[in-house]
Amino acid sequence: FMHNGTLTALEQLRTQLLREVDPALRSLILGETDSELMFYWLMQRMIEARALDQGSCKSLAKMRRVLADSILVLDARNQAASDRVSIARLNFVLTNGSVLVATRMRNSLHRLRVEYPRPGKHPHRAISIASEPTDDRPWMEIPDASVLSISSRLELVIQSLDCEDATD
């Protein structure tokens, strides 16, 4: 799990978000960071939607939808909880080592598709995700207000948070 950004109204929302996490998961929360709380809150939502089964992805499309819905809920709650204009920055990446889902909202996020030759074997292929390009290769910016998934076969799907598809 990775969270790059901030939930600016975290202190106003903490109690409500904690109440929405099953006590078994809540007992695993050891710190006070927004990232740790968001991880368990998102896991609870994934479990409730039956997108996960004991850490395994049951449906990548469902995981993408749950993550998109969750970001929209967090953003709306963040804005409502603040007496001033409160802008949340909500980049999340979740992976179990086989599949990946991520969001970009009001923060930069980039992707890079790479292929490395291996003598006598199929080339090694990968997709890298980073907040900023890490070198001079052709990184592509992921559109703001989007959710993406990468399957175990490196199929990349990018959707706007309102679920308009764009596949690469």
Side-chain angles (χ1 to χ4, degrees), residues 55-118:
S56 294
C57 171
K58 290 179 73 175
S59 167
L60 200 49
K62 193 177 281 191
M63 287 182 72
R64 231 180 10 256
R65 180 71 257 150
V66 171
L67 189 55
D69 290 345
S70 298
I71 294 306
L72 294 172
V73 166
L74 280 175
D75 188 48
R77 288 181 184 180
N78 191 75
Q79 289 181 29
S82 181
D83 57 356
R84 57 181 172 76
V85 176
S86 185
I87 303 297
R89 296 181 187 278
L90 301 170
N91 282 13
F92 293 111
V93 177
L94 294 104
T95 182
N96 66 0
S98 296
V99 299
L100 179 145
V101 290
T103 60
R104 176 183 176 203
M105 183 175 227
R106 300 186 194 106
N107 232 347
S108 62
L109 197 63
H110 296 79
R111 65 184 168 95
L112 175 69
R113 188 179 291 270
V114 295
E115 190 170 296
Y116 300 103
R118 297 186 308 173

Side-chain angles (χ1 to χ4, degrees), residues 22-157:
D22 184 87
L25 285 179
R26 195 178 324 130
S27 70
L28 300 173
I29 299 173
L30 303 176
E32 297 291 320
T33 66
D34 58 348
S35 295
E36 187 178 27
L37 177 55
M38 292 299 90
F39 172 75
Y40 288 105
W41 185 77
L42 289 169
M43 288 299 96
Q44 182 68 45
R45 293 175 65 92
M46 294 280 181
I47 291 165
E48 287 174 0
R50 296 192 172 134
L52 294 175
D53 183 23
Q54 297 180 349
S56 294
C57 171
K58 290 179 73 175
S59 167
L60 200 49
K62 193 177 281 191
M63 287 182 72
R64 231 180 10 256
R65 180 71 257 150
V66 171
L67 189 55
D69 290 345
S70 298
I71 294 306
L72 294 172
V73 166
L74 280 175
D75 188 48
R77 288 181 184 180
N78 191 75
Q79 289 181 29
S82 181
D83 57 356
R84 57 181 172 76
V85 176
S86 185
I87 303 297
R89 296 181 187 278
L90 301 170
N91 282 13
F92 293 111
V93 177
L94 294 104
T95 182
N96 66 0
S98 296
V99 299
L100 179 145
V101 290
T103 60
R104 176 183 176 203
M105 183 175 227
R106 300 186 194 106
N107 232 347
S108 62
L109 197 63
H110 296 79
R111 65 184 168 95
L112 175 69
R113 188 179 291 270
V114 295
E115 190 170 296
Y116 300 103
R118 297 186 308 173
K121 298 181 180 180
H122 292 289
H124 173 75
R125 299 178 324 136
I127 299 175
S128 296
I129 304 290
S131 295
E132 298 294 335
T134 58
D135 55 31
D136 60 356
R137 290 181 290 177
W139 288 82
M140 298 183 71
E141 188 172 18
I142 294 167
D144 195 20
S146 64
V147 61
L148 67 93
S149 64
I150 303 171
S151 74
S152 59
R153 294 181 307 281
L154 296 183
E155 297 162 333
L156 173 67
V157 175

Side-chain angles (χ1 to χ4, degrees), residues 64-65 143 145-147 157-167:
R64 231 180 10 256
R65 180 71 257 150
S146 64
V147 61
V157 175
I158 301 174
Q159 297 174 312
S160 66
L161 288 176
D162 60 11
C163 282
E164 295 175 20
D165 283 355
T167 303

